[in-house]
Amino acid sequence: MALSYENLSRLLTNPDLLSHLQDLKLDETEQTISYKWHGPHFFAFLRYATKLCLSSNYKSERCSFLHYATKLCLCFNKKHDRFNDLLKNLDDSASNCIIYGETEYYKIFLEVLLSFLPEIREFFTVRKLLQLSDGTPNANEILASFIGFLVETIGELLNCLSDSSDLVSYQVKFLLTELESLLNFLGDTEPEKNNNILTEIEAVANEAGFFLHSFFFTAGLVTMTEMDLAFSALVKRIEILQVRIKDHCIAASEELNSGSGSLQVAENPREVSSESGQSAESLQRTSMVDEIIEGYEDSTTQILKKLLEGPCNRRIISIVGMGGVGKTTIARKLYDNTYVHSYFDKLSWCTVSQDYRKRELLLTILSSISNLKQEKLLEMEDEELAERLYRTIKGRRYLIVLDDIWDKKAWDDLKRCFPDDRNGSRILLTSRLMHLDREISDENFEITPLSEGESWDLFEKEVFKKERCPPELQDIGKQIVANCHGIPLAVVAIASTLSGKKSMSSWKQVLTSLSSFISEDANISSILKLSYENLPIHLKPCFLYLSAFQEGMEIPVRKLLLLWIAEGFIVKKEDKNLEDVAEEYLMELISRSFLQVAKRRPDNGVKVCALHDLILDSCRKIAEEENFVFQHQFLVSKYRSRLEQSHFTETLSILHDPKKIRILESASDLSRIETLTELRYLETSSKLTSSIGRLQNLEFLLAGRTTNILPRYLLNLPKLRHLHVGGPARFSKTCEISGTNSLQTLSFICIFDSKDEEILKCSPNLRSLNCAVLAKKCPRLNFLSLLESLKIVFYGSFKGDFTVPNFPMNIKKLTLSNLGLPWEKMSLIGTLPKLEILKLEDEAFEGKIWNTMDDEFQKLKFLKLDNLDLEQWNSSYNHFPVLEQLVLRYCDNLEMISSELGYIPTLSKIEVHACGINVENSAIKIREEQLAYGNEEIQVIIFKEIL
């Protein structure tokens, strides 16, 4: 729909042309409202209306205000075809006024205008926008946008009321003040937590819109008495609403100050990883984070207040201080804060560092706040990414953390992407450079080193946990701590080195070593070097291998462990496989504070880890000093400029000697792959070839390209333990059904008949299986006695005659999709003795009622119900005695969550994703009931929107 009002715009914005319009008086008596026609207030409405209509010509966000306003406008035009015609007539009439300038043309213009005014009434109500939204978008956005229109209109009216009575001006100014107050409230809180308040705001906004249309956009007779009566009624409604808002804010403030429990309201499922049971932006970390924060509680509290309070305009807050002093730790603690997640609509964490690239920063931020897939983002040019970022956060209250900024240019490259909508948005920066806070920030906080007492408290807690330092070690301990110069990272690093060492001789040795090579300028790196020297020999190569990763990069643990194994860093133990030994190495590095936990799995295992940038710097320096050579060709080549020439020559010999290459990533060409006889780890996007069958040392294969047939030669590779193919893929008909292989992980394979089962029996060591199954021919998998993780996608339906699944008793993690079994068959799963994680997805079970039973799910820690038609879930706390996390997604028909679940002593988190208001309310009720009983640990996260 193409709307144009170029001539009208010229007429209404040109004082000379506008002065020719006749005075628009509704009556000549004293009791009538009269005002001179100036036009700008009508022009303000016209901009609003045409913007809504024109928004259908460009791609708008699915849940944006304009998207639904467009639907309203299109509906409006279907019911009122006169709108377009009247606008065109009005513009044509304005053109005649401009061209001819004669009085008769101005009279015609006014006649067209007066016929136009009654047709615009529906634009002065928000009700239809909310109805058309189907409950999907953020109601705050719609109300805020509509009230913003009213505020803009009143602002133009005030410029046009110089000839009106003081009473009229006062009334309009009062209305402006009250609407601005409501606008601030919508921007500074989450009123959807109180539906009555939200409804009342909607009612007041509608009445204000009706008031404006009735008295300032009308062709009818309006008296002062009528206006006074309408205004008085509106004022009373506003006063009642303001009292309710005040009560709501007091209650919210008391909850914030109490710090009891937590209720999070998330905007986007990307912000919370339901699989991990942890918010992607609210991560579980090592104790080091909380310990460091203890020394900076006052600063952390002050910064938190600046984030959640203060002016409504966008503010830039900086945290500055020397490296290792705890800037990033404080910023992360604030970013993870429950109330921060509840307050801001969009949140993103971006590590900048010295060698940043603008494109990478844009991709990092957009990946966390946009619903676009990564592949789509990668196709965009830099300017497209910048525009997309601006549009994604436009109108939203956002918090963007830019960690470790070294140059003002990084901010200059990004600042145009962050709109100031005066809704309380914040930018949080961390930097080692003091001058940046003066050049960029509105508020700045300098983090200074810990005092001697604070340093000692942190050291003592890290070394001795809940115990006190023995008196005989205190003097030497304080000498060691003094060398840390109040830098928390240095304190923690040296404490990790001494943890477990309780003899005077060992502490003296550390002090002597520390003093022998420490310098005033390099004390942190020296302490970290000393910590490295004290590592057991088997951990040193695993640590140095981390030198190849980028600053701020999250490291997937499973992949890291496999790379360590492929490099030959893991020493086999008789009673354990290599993967378990590698995980032990990882946990030891974490316990020594060389690595931090970034994300955890539902079973509380480490899913993603991260490196502090100072530890990474030291790691790289030590790797160079020791000429450490690792055989990951991509990582080696990435840091070739950091390597000495002799070291690089050795590296090149590995890369160019096929017999030495062990790891190959992102391989798009598999020609001559058979020459890589030592290859252990292979990731490829290319079509599989039979030459892979000659790689007798291959241990890991990830084939990203969809594979329909799993060839025989893969199952014959003697050392292959992890096989992932795009699929689902059928076993080749030539696969042998005798003998055994070494597979521990297999994904994504079809098990459709008895032949497939027989082939699968050749993999008795499987610990993880991802497969597709025909519903009526469910395989018996109990022969996989070591299987711990199983995901099955069922094709077809179980309705009618079927064979029931038979699961191995060793299963710890089970994911079922499209199974379609009745809830009465749940005992097949509930009786699995070791089951800890259960995910039921896409009608895995069917029926309206699930009655849980005694003596089932005795070890279940994580339960996810996703896209099920369940209506009633009748359960008791003793049916899930050790449940820790509950996730509900798209269970639209579910009536409520039983309050009984709140009494499970281990339950720490409930996540609700688009399950309806009753489920949300029952989750909140569980939290409130538990708080009343003194349980402050339980956390409730409710998604406002699912994309």
Side-chain angles (χ1 to χ4, degrees):
M1 178 172 53
L3 301 179
S4 174
Y5 51 91
E6 180 180 353
N7 296 311
L8 185 60
S9 172
R10 288 181 60 194
L11 178 64
L12 299 183
T13 57
N14 189 316
D16 294 332
L17 295 174
L18 199 59
S19 64
H20 292 289
L21 287 173
Q22 302 293 317
D23 287 348
L24 183 60
K25 293 187 178 181
L26 303 177
D27 199 281
E28 295 296 333
T29 67
E30 291 184 357
Q31 293 299 314
T32 61
I33 302 173
S34 64
Y35 57 92
K36 193 170 184 178
W37 172 256
H38 282 279
H41 72 284
F42 179 80
F43 189 51
F45 157 75
L46 203 61
R47 288 197 305 268
Y48 167 79
T50 52
K51 183 178 182 181
L52 299 187
C53 296
L54 286 171
S55 66
S56 62
N57 290 335
Y58 61 86
K59 295 180 180 179
S60 59
E61 293 290 303
R62 177 178 177 267
C63 295
S64 70
F65 169 74
L66 286 182
H67 173 81
Y68 291 98
T70 298
K71 292 171 62 176
L72 172 64
C73 188
L74 294 176
C75 176
F76 177 91
N77 287 332
K78 289 178 182 177
K79 295 174 60 178
H80 303 274
D81 293 333
R82 283 167 49 82
F83 183 86
N84 283 335
D85 294 336
L86 286 170
L87 183 60
K88 185 177 185 305
N89 290 341
L90 199 60
D91 193 66
D92 291 342
S93 182
S95 175
N96 290 334
C97 293
I98 295 170
I99 295 173
Y100 302 108
E102 297 179 7
T103 301
E104 60 179 296
Y105 290 107
Y106 285 100
K107 290 181 178 179
I108 295 173
F109 172 82
L110 291 176
E111 290 175 359
V112 176
L113 173 66
L114 292 176
S115 65
F116 191 97
L117 294 179
E119 304 293 334
I120 65 176
R121 178 174 177 176
E122 291 196 53
F123 281 94
F124 285 82
T125 177
V126 72
R127 189 171 293 116
K128 282 201 172 184
L129 290 175
L130 290 171
Q131 291 173 351
L132 286 168
S133 72
D134 297 324
T136 303
N138 184 353
N140 288 29
E141 288 184 47
I142 293 180
L143 283 173
S145 298
F146 176 70
I147 294 175
F149 154 65
L150 298 182
V151 167
E152 181 183 2
T153 301
I154 292 175
E156 297 292 354
L157 277 173
L158 288 173
N159 292 329
C160 303
L161 290 176
S162 57
D163 295 335
S164 299
S165 68
D166 291 339
L167 178 59
V168 174
S169 296
Y170 165 79
Q171 291 172 331
V172 176
K173 288 178 180 178
F174 176 89
L175 185 57
L176 175 65
T177 301
E178 296 303 316
L179 288 175
E180 287 178 337
S181 174
L182 293 181
L183 202 57
N184 290 334
F185 175 72
L186 289 173
D188 293 336
T189 190
E190 299 291 348
E192 64 269 27
K193 295 177 184 176
N194 190 322
N195 291 322
N196 293 330
I197 288 182
L198 195 64
T199 301
E200 196 68 23
I201 292 176
E202 176 192 344
V204 168
N206 282 325
E207 286 192 24
F210 178 79
F211 178 87
L212 291 175
H213 179 267
S214 298
F215 299 105
F216 297 100
F217 294 86
T218 180
L221 178 66
V222 179
T223 67
M224 187 68 72
T225 301
E226 291 174 334
M227 187 176 187
D228 287 345
L229 289 174
F231 184 76
S232 297
L234 180 57
V235 168
K236 289 181 180 179
R237 191 69 176 268
I238 290 175
E239 289 174 347
I240 294 172
L241 175 59
Q242 293 292 8
V243 171
R244 296 177 64 106
I245 288 176
K246 182 178 180 180
D247 292 340
H248 174 85
C249 292
I250 291 174
S253 177
E254 290 175 349
E255 182 179 3
L256 176 62
N257 293 331
S258 69
S260 298
S262 60
L263 171 63
Q264 296 183 10
V265 183
E267 177 73 20
N268 191 309
R270 291 178 178 272
E271 295 169 9
V272 178
S273 171
S274 59
E275 179 180 356
S276 68
Q278 297 292 328
S279 168
E281 313 300 345
S282 181
L283 311 175
Q284 290 190 9
R285 300 184 176 271
T286 62
S287 60
M288 181 180 71
V289 172
D290 291 326
E291 290 166 2
I292 290 176
I293 282 294
E294 288 184 7
Y296 298 116
E297 289 177 344
D298 291 342
S299 296
T300 304
T301 301
Q302 292 177 32
I303 300 171
L304 180 62
K305 291 184 66 176
K306 293 296 183 181
L307 291 175
L308 302 181
E309 301 175 3
C312 59
N313 60 301
R314 187 198 71 191
R315 304 285 285 177
I316 303 170
I317 302 169
S318 64
I319 304 175
V320 296
M322 63 186 300
V325 77
K327 303 180 301 297
T328 298
T329 303
I330 293 172
R332 176 61 72 176
K333 191 72 174 181
L334 292 164
Y335 186 79
D336 292 345
N337 183 274
T338 297
Y339 296 101
V340 168
H341 272 263
S342 176
Y343 182 75
F344 292 99
D345 298 321
K346 295 286 187 181
L347 300 96
S348 179
W349 180 285
C350 180
T351 301
V352 182
S353 72
Q354 285 179 283
D355 302 322
Y356 81 93
R357 292 183 180 180
K358 178 182 177 182
R359 179 175 180 81
E360 292 177 357
L361 300 182
L362 291 170
L363 286 170
T364 298
I365 299 173
L366 270 171
S367 295
S368 61
I369 63 175
S370 170
N371 60 328
L372 284 182
K373 293 183 178 180
Q374 188 72 12
E375 303 81 43
K376 187 68 174 178
L377 291 174
L378 291 174
E379 294 174 358
M380 295 183 179
E381 299 294 332
D382 290 3
E383 286 305 312
E384 292 180 280
L385 291 171
E387 180 183 357
R388 182 73 185 192
L389 173 55
Y390 181 90
R391 290 173 51 197
T392 299
I393 60 179
K394 177 67 176 173
R396 307 288 184 93
R397 185 192 292 124
Y398 57 83
L399 170 64
I400 308 295
V401 179
L402 300 177
D403 183 40
D404 198 20
I405 284 189
W406 284 80
D407 193 331
K408 182 176 180 292
K409 186 177 183 300
W411 169 248
D412 292 337
D413 285 343
L414 294 175
K415 63 183 180 183
R416 293 189 302 107
C417 302
F418 305 130
D420 185 1
D421 293 311
R422 297 186 60 79
N423 58 3
S425 293
R426 299 288 184 261
I427 308 290
L428 183 62
L429 312 177
T430 73
S431 178
R432 303 182 196 183
L433 306 179
M434 301 294 184
H435 68 275
L436 282 181
D437 65 323
R438 296 187 295 271
E439 297 178 11
I440 298 176
S441 303
D442 301 304
E443 305 274 355
N444 62 83
F445 294 85
E446 181 180 353
I447 306 301
T448 57
L450 299 173
S451 67
E452 290 183 9
E454 291 168 337
S455 298
W456 174 253
D457 290 342
L458 176 58
F459 172 82
E460 187 178 40
K461 184 173 182 179
E462 182 68 18
V463 176
F464 299 101
K465 309 307 177 188
K466 295 182 179 180
E467 300 178 4
R468 300 301 300 272
C469 176
E472 65 271 16
L473 293 177
Q474 286 193 11
D475 287 342
I476 189 171
K478 289 182 178 179
Q479 293 180 54
I480 293 173
V481 171
N483 282 303
C484 297
H485 300 288
I487 304 302
L489 180 63
V491 174
V492 171
I494 200 67
S496 298
T497 300
L498 290 169
S499 182
K501 297 179 179 181
K502 304 296 174 64
S503 67
M504 177 68 73
S505 60
S506 61
W507 282 45
K508 283 184 176 179
Q509 183 180 0
V510 168
L511 179 59
T512 301
S513 300
L514 189 61
S515 302
S516 65
F517 61 84
I518 197 168
S519 69
E520 186 176 350
D521 296 330
N523 61 305
I524 300 178
S525 60
S526 299
I527 289 172
L528 294 175
K529 176 67 180 294
L530 180 61
S531 297
Y532 167 77
E533 295 290 349
N534 280 271
L535 277 177
I537 189 66
H538 64 274
L539 291 182
K540 288 185 176 180
C542 295
F543 171 68
L544 294 182
Y545 193 75
L546 303 173
S547 63
F549 291 96
Q550 300 178 36
E551 292 180 5
M553 182 178 181
E554 292 190 334
I555 305 170
V557 163
R558 288 179 179 172
K559 181 172 182 178
L560 177 62
L561 301 186
L562 291 170
L563 291 173
W564 280 350
I565 293 171
E567 296 281 5
F569 299 157
I570 309 303
V571 179
K572 181 77 169 66
K573 294 183 180 180
E574 291 184 1
D575 58 338
K576 296 181 179 179
N577 60 39
L578 290 172
E579 288 75 14
D580 290 338
V581 176
E583 189 164 7
E584 290 180 1
Y585 288 10
L586 175 81
M587 297 310 297
E588 195 166 353
L589 285 175
I590 290 174
S591 70
R592 292 171 178 267
S593 299
F594 283 101
L595 276 168
Q596 297 180 23
V597 178
K599 298 178 185 177
R600 291 189 179 272
R601 302 191 303 264
D603 62 359
N604 211 37
V606 182
K607 183 177 183 180
V608 177
C609 57
L611 274 169
H612 192 285
D613 54 356
L614 287 180
I615 293 179
L616 179 57
D617 288 342
S618 296
C619 184
R620 288 173 176 170
K621 291 176 183 177
I622 297 170
E624 291 180 20
E625 292 172 2
E626 300 198 358
N627 287 334
F628 176 70
V629 178
F630 41 84
Q631 299 179 14
H632 190 311
Q633 94 294 341
F634 171 74
L635 297 180
V636 171
S637 62
K638 181 176 180 61
Y639 292 100
R640 58 185 298 174
S641 61
R642 300 179 183 268
L643 306 175
E644 297 177 2
Q645 187 60 40
S646 59
H647 184 189
F648 187 62
T649 302
E650 185 178 357
T651 299
L652 287 179
S653 69
I654 292 176
L655 298 181
H656 291 109
D657 185 350
K659 294 181 180 180
K660 293 184 179 181
I661 295 178
R662 291 188 172 195
I663 297 172
L664 193 61
E665 264 194 310
S666 306
S668 58
D669 183 4
L670 296 182
S671 61
R672 300 187 64 192
I673 191 71
E674 68 277 3
T675 62
L676 308 181
T677 56
E678 288 297 312
L679 196 65
R680 307 284 204 271
Y681 183 103
L682 173 61
E683 291 185 17
T684 179
S685 57
S686 180
K687 183 178 180 180
L688 296 177
T689 64
S690 59
S691 56
I692 293 178
R694 303 180 191 177
L695 303 176
Q696 297 298 292
N697 288 305
L698 192 65
E699 298 174 351
F700 175 89
L701 172 61
L702 171 61
R705 184 168 177 174
T706 299
T707 303
N708 296 323
I709 300 296
L710 189 70
R712 171 182 176 179
Y713 57 80
L714 292 182
L715 298 182
N716 290 339
L717 288 172
K719 295 184 179 180
L720 187 65
R721 297 196 309 280
H722 305 281
L723 175 58
H724 302 267
V725 296
R730 293 295 304 271
F731 287 116
S732 170
K733 294 181 180 180
T734 62
C735 286
E736 298 177 358
I737 57 175
S738 62
T740 60
N741 56 54
S742 300
L743 284 177
Q744 295 181 19
T745 304
L746 179 59
S747 173
F748 177 38
I749 195 71
C750 296
I751 309 174
F752 285 172
D753 53 32
S754 58
K755 175 70 179 296
D756 294 334
E757 289 186 45
E758 291 300 315
I759 296 173
L760 195 62
K761 288 181 180 179
C762 297
S763 306
N765 299 312
L766 275 180
R767 300 172 69 186
S768 177
L769 174 64
N770 184 350
C771 61
V773 167
L774 293 177
K776 293 187 178 182
K777 297 181 180 179
C778 192
R780 302 180 67 84
L781 300 176
N782 55 332
F783 58 84
L784 296 173
S785 60
L786 300 180
L787 196 67
E788 296 180 347
S789 177
L790 174 63
K791 179 175 182 179
I792 306 181
V793 177
F794 289 86
Y795 290 178
S797 173
F798 265 95
K799 295 177 180 178
D801 296 331
F802 52 81
T803 59
V804 296
N806 190 290
F807 301 111
M809 291 294 102
N810 211 41
I811 289 291
K812 293 182 179 179
K813 177 181 178 181
L814 180 62
T815 302
L816 301 175
S817 179
N818 291 308
L819 175 57
L821 274 178
W823 289 104
E824 291 77 10
K825 298 290 184 179
M826 180 57 75
S827 59
L828 296 169
I829 297 172
T831 54
L832 292 173
K834 297 183 179 181
L835 187 65
E836 297 181 356
I837 301 169
L838 176 61
K839 301 179 182 180
L840 303 177
E841 303 173 345
D842 299 323
E843 300 181 357
F845 279 74
E846 290 185 340
K848 296 181 179 180
I849 302 175
W850 178 21
N851 297 311
T852 57
M853 309 293 290
D854 293 333
D855 302 322
E856 294 183 354
F857 301 110
Q858 294 301 293
K859 292 191 176 181
L860 194 70
K861 298 179 180 179
F862 180 94
L863 175 61
K864 177 182 178 182
L865 306 179
D866 188 350
N867 196 24
L868 306 175
D869 61 359
L870 181 65
E871 294 182 8
Q872 295 181 27
W873 178 17
N874 302 317
S875 185
S876 173
Y877 69 92
N878 58 350
H879 293 170
F880 300 93
V882 296
L883 188 68
E884 297 175 358
Q885 299 177 41
L886 171 64
V887 178
L888 302 173
R889 298 182 80 250
Y890 294 109
C891 295
D892 302 331
N893 299 323
L894 187 61
E895 295 176 357
M896 63 177 294
I897 308 172
S898 172
S899 60
E900 282 274 313
L901 298 182
Y903 296 97
I904 299 174
T906 54
L907 187 64
S908 60
K909 179 176 288 188
I910 299 175
E911 293 181 14
V912 178
H913 306 235
C915 292
I917 190 64
N918 291 334
V919 174
E920 294 177 5
N921 288 341
S922 62
I924 295 172
K925 183 179 179 182
I926 287 174
R927 170 180 166 270
E928 292 173 346
E929 289 178 352
Q930 291 306 302
L931 286 176
Y933 282 102
N935 178 9
E936 300 179 357
E937 301 300 322
I938 195 167
Q939 191 178 32
V940 172
I941 299 177
I942 297 174
F943 282 116
K944 294 187 293 187
E945 149 181 0
I946 292 289
L947 298 179

